[in-house]
Amino acid sequence: MPLQWYLYLALALFGVGLFGFVARRNVIIMLLSIEIMLNAANVALAAFGTAMQDVAGHIVVFFVIAVAAAEAAIGLSLVVLLYKRFREVHMDEVKMLKG
């Protein structure tokens, strides 16, 4: 497969994630959108690593996966705390977090 196909896939995934993050106000959907954007970066890094015959891209993918796992754990714990406090997970309804 040509490298461009992987990059188009990564671009499409990143666009979907960006749209989900900007358009939706549900915190869980916002976290999922961030995960989609991180996976788009992973696809691009793995494609470049394979195309350049270098394992550095794959190593960076593992770091991004670790960061994504930590982000998901912290984010979901914040969602649970937010729901316990406000009984709501929509960012528009939670006005107390605004500065």
Side-chain angles (χ1 to χ4, degrees), residues 12-91:
L13 283 174
F14 194 85
V16 168
L18 184 64
F19 176 76
F21 185 78
V22 171
R24 303 295 298 264
R25 303 308 301 162
N26 188 327
V27 177
I28 295 173
I29 293 177
M30 292 171 75
L31 285 173
L32 288 175
S33 299
I34 292 171
E35 293 292 327
I36 291 172
M37 287 191 283
L38 287 173
N39 283 326
N42 285 340
V43 168
L45 287 170
F48 280 126
T50 302
M52 298 173 74
Q53 302 289 326
D54 190 10
V55 295
H58 296 94
I59 293 170
V60 173
V61 167
F62 286 121
F63 283 118
V64 171
I65 289 172
V67 169
E71 176 262 334
I74 293 171
L76 289 176
S77 65
L78 288 174
V79 168
V80 168
L81 290 175
L82 189 70
Y83 183 75
K84 281 184 178 178
R85 169 96 180 176
F86 297 107
R87 296 289 178 200
E88 188 67 45
V89 291
H90 292 294
M91 289 305 291

